[in-house]
Amino acid sequence: MAAEVSRAPIRNAVHLCVDMQRIFARGGMWETPWMARVLPGIVATAELNPPRNVFTRFITPRSADERPGRWRQYFKRWERATRDRLPPDQLDLIGPLARMVPPGHVVDKPGYSAFAGTDLAARLHQRAIDTVIVTGAETDVCVLSTVLSAVELGFRTVVVEDALCSSSDDGHDALMTIYRTRYTEQIDLVPLADLPDLWRDPH
């Protein structure tokens, strides 16, 4: 059964924006070609409630040997992305979002999920936040991992369906199909145009 677009009001929420960084932007090492296309929608989402923005950054290791298992193998392949080789500004948020911190917050993460290896879940629980509104990159990698972690941790998980991007069109399309057909109880899909009327949390 395909998921219906959610019309349930959103309360006690943060906007969790995943990895909108220079390394994934145009000209970055891991360029996501249509990041620029979804950026205006992500900015519009962030502008709805600026103190409720949480922006994640994927922080690469200083060297491949800092990471275990297959991560070590991965960063030996992508040695240019380790912090010993990478220009530091490549890990920064892209300009329009960087200017929203503060009042927004930044969470640095070592892996795919915003919740793995970070204190994000504890910080949200301390603020009585029980809902995350997810945007960002990439649909089929870090966004996917973050969304599934949020579900497992018990957060209401709202995905802004036209505020995601990937370097793989096939991967993006496949994940959107999975969200609509396999996670109908766990994930709420919301188009950007509907979000202002649904999200009524005070600043």
Side-chain angles (χ1 to χ4, degrees):
M1 179 186 297
E4 295 182 0
V5 173
S6 176
R7 295 287 186 270
I10 298 169
R11 301 282 190 272
N12 306 320
V14 295
H15 167 219
L16 180 53
C17 179
V18 179
D19 297 0
M20 293 291 286
Q21 296 166 261
R22 294 183 64 182
I23 193 171
F24 301 113
R26 185 178 301 278
M29 182 180 304
W30 289 325
E31 180 177 333
T32 302
W34 42 285
M35 179 181 279
R37 195 164 79 218
V38 301
L39 178 60
I42 293 175
V43 171
T45 302
E47 288 174 339
L48 291 175
N49 203 332
R52 294 289 186 99
N53 288 317
V54 177
F55 301 101
T56 71
R57 298 191 310 164
F58 178 60
I59 303 299
T60 61
R62 194 164 300 282
S63 69
D65 290 336
E66 287 187 356
R67 293 287 171 85
R70 296 299 290 267
W71 276 118
R72 182 178 294 116
Q73 177 179 321
Y74 180 83
F75 281 109
K76 285 187 181 297
R77 175 188 174 193
W78 290 102
E79 192 172 16
R80 291 182 301 128
T82 62
R83 283 181 286 134
D84 280 344
R85 304 289 186 91
L86 188 71
D89 64 359
Q90 287 293 290
L91 298 178
D92 290 346
L93 297 174
I94 57 179
L97 302 178
R99 291 192 286 273
M100 303 186 80
V101 180
H105 307 274
V106 173
V107 171
D108 290 342
K109 60 187 183 68
Y112 291 146
S113 172
F115 297 97
T118 76
D119 64 352
L120 177 59
R123 288 166 58 181
L124 296 183
H125 287 141
Q126 287 171 0
R127 296 169 58 191
I129 299 295
D130 59 19
T131 299
V132 292
I133 302 166
V134 181
T135 66
E138 295 187 55
T139 312
D140 45 345
V141 188
C142 292
V143 169
L144 171 63
S145 184
T146 295
V147 163
L148 294 181
S149 293
V151 169
E152 293 286 1
L153 289 164
F155 291 98
R156 179 185 176 194
T157 305
V158 178
V159 173
V160 185
E161 59 184 358
D162 42 354
L164 306 175
C165 60
S166 174
S167 56
S168 166
D169 289 353
D170 289 343
H172 173 86
D173 292 344
L175 256 297
M176 297 311 296
T177 297
I178 289 172
Y179 289 152
R180 291 188 180 99
T181 60
R182 297 285 291 177
Y183 294 110
T184 57
E185 300 299 325
Q186 297 92 341
I187 295 168
D188 290 337
L189 293 177
V190 173
L192 177 61
D194 291 355
L195 191 60
D197 289 333
L198 297 176
W199 190 16
R200 297 294 190 180
D201 274 339
H203 289 354

